[in-house]
Amino acid sequence: MTAIPDIMLSNGQNIPQFGFGVFQIKPEDTVAAVSTALQVGYRHIDTAEMYGNEKEVGEAISQSGLDRADVFVTSKLSNDAHEPDGARRAFDESLKALGFDYLDLFLIHWPLPTRYDGDFVSTWKTVEEFYREGRARSIGVSNFQPRHLRRLHAESDIPPAVNQIEVYPYLTQDELRGFCAEHQIAIEAWSPLGQGSVLDDPTIDSIARRVGKTPAQVVLRWHIERGDIIFPKSVTPERIRENIDIFDFELSGEDVEAISALNRDERTGPDPDKFDGR
Ligand code: NAD
């Protein structure tokens, strides 16, 4: 396996382009899953307060024997904690649950434009505090649309380093990705496999057969070729190994385009403009 590439964020910090996501992994399964991931070479874990497994993520990292500095860890603000004092408490609690004194990346999980009087700017200004204190090495957002990002740019000091959004072959998000590229905001593609829904696609299957990889590996490699940061989830050790084994091959430009052409603008998750986080 060749090394996992780093992507340099706008603030100069490096993030591994590939990692492990722990959404919907039960707390009781999290230590085993994250331990397997770390053993087979993952060095980037994506969790969130709302996943309910930060404590177990921290335990797995501490038991791994790796230096804290060698694992890039992201967590995200609870939808129920957007008011400044609540956000400060929630951030402290995330650190405490993980057993860390800093996070590599901290994100506002959803913009929630229909809640908190649509004031995600005050929430962002609170998140900026964590960055200035050095307790969040990078800060960013998730599920933000261009109109939300424009407000942050106009009304706050520190631009988000990343936007974590839903991207998979049936939702390629080219407009939003283009906007973020123009503004030096790195894209993290959540649910990179569409939670498994694209793995039977005939186009993906035929590319996979031709290049001698699995459909999951082809889809993950497609994201890597497009330059997005990904962290597929699995609790199955063989799949955890399979998903990281994508750094010994490349897709041709034609194959990347053929997969991008599958776009149907089909979300599996909520619409960020309407979702109120409850
Ligand atoms: P995913 O696209 O990573 O799909 C995971 C599912 O795909 C697994 O449960 C399994 O059913 C299947 N799968 C995984 N590897 C496979 C393989 N090799 N072969 C066959 N099937 C396989 O979905 P996800 O977990 O929703 O997304 C990944 C991560 O993105 C999450 O764990 C989380 O960290 C993040 N995320 C963020 C948000 C957000 O709002 N910011 C939302 C959803 C997910």
Side-chain angles (χ1 to χ4, degrees):
M1 189 187 89
T2 45
I4 295 170
D6 276 336
I7 297 231
M8 192 189 275
L9 301 176
S10 57
N11 65 351
Q13 197 194 9
N14 282 327
I15 179 169
Q17 193 183 358
F18 179 89
F20 188 64
V22 297
F23 176 46
Q24 289 174 330
I25 302 188
K26 294 188 199 116
E28 60 269 31
D29 298 332
T30 302
V31 173
V34 174
S35 299
T36 302
L38 293 172
Q39 273 158 22
V40 303
Y42 292 64
R43 291 293 179 270
H44 168 181
I45 313 290
D46 184 88
T47 184
E49 191 277 340
M50 291 189 291
Y51 301 169
N53 54 21
E54 288 171 309
K55 179 168 165 283
E56 290 75 14
V57 167
E59 273 169 31
I61 293 170
S62 132
Q63 288 171 19
S64 71
L66 291 164
D67 282 346
R68 167 70 188 88
D70 291 336
V71 187
F72 189 104
V73 183
T74 301
S75 193
K76 316 187 192 85
L77 182 66
S78 164
N79 290 336
D80 294 329
H82 272 216
E83 278 157 354
D85 280 347
R88 290 183 194 106
R89 263 195 308 276
F91 182 72
D92 288 347
E93 278 163 20
S94 281
L95 286 181
K96 192 166 160 221
L98 284 154
F100 297 164
D101 53 14
Y102 71 93
L103 273 163
D104 296 281
L105 178 61
F106 190 67
L107 309 180
I108 298 183
H109 207 146
W110 287 89
L112 311 179
T114 63
R115 201 168 153 191
Y116 303 105
D117 299 323
D119 183 14
F120 48 75
V121 176
S122 297
T123 312
W124 179 252
K125 287 183 176 171
T126 310
V127 170
E128 286 181 335
E129 291 172 14
F130 312 148
Y131 181 73
R132 289 201 182 89
E133 294 160 357
R135 296 195 299 151
R137 300 267 165 101
S138 293
I139 52 175
V141 294
S142 179
N143 301 301
F144 274 48
Q145 302 298 297
R147 73 182 68 82
H148 309 139
L149 294 166
R150 278 194 204 98
R151 269 192 70 191
L152 291 191
H153 278 127
E155 298 175 43
S156 64
D157 297 329
I158 303 172
V162 315
N163 190 14
Q164 183 177 127
I165 56 172
E166 183 178 3
V167 185
Y168 73 112
Y170 297 162
L171 181 70
T172 53
Q173 295 265 32
D174 291 330
E175 218 175 293
L176 178 51
R177 287 172 72 257
F179 179 91
C180 289
E182 255 172 56
H183 293 84
Q184 286 82 48
I185 301 170
I187 292 292
E188 297 192 324
W190 66 249
S191 294
L193 300 170
Q195 299 203 328
S197 64
V198 289
L199 300 179
D200 295 330
D201 185 281
T203 302
I204 293 167
D205 188 59
S206 85
I207 295 172
R209 284 169 196 274
R210 177 159 41 75
V211 301
K213 287 282 181 178
T214 66
Q217 289 170 326
V218 165
V219 173
L220 296 172
R221 186 70 213 183
W222 169 78
H223 287 282
I224 296 290
E225 309 275 357
R226 282 167 36 110
D228 292 351
I229 299 158
I230 49 170
F231 22 81
K233 168 252 172 186
S234 176
V235 290
T236 312
E238 298 75 48
R239 287 178 171 175
I240 294 174
R241 269 187 226 105
E242 176 186 331
N243 291 347
I244 197 176
D245 185 18
I246 56 168
F247 296 100
D248 61 350
F249 80 114
E250 285 176 10
L251 292 174
S252 68
E254 277 163 30
D255 285 343
V256 171
E257 274 173 35
I259 298 172
S260 301
L262 299 173
N263 181 43
R264 309 170 179 164
D265 290 334
E266 189 173 284
R267 287 186 193 282
T268 65
D271 179 340
D273 274 316
K274 298 188 183 133
F275 185 52
D276 75 356
R278 284 184 278 230

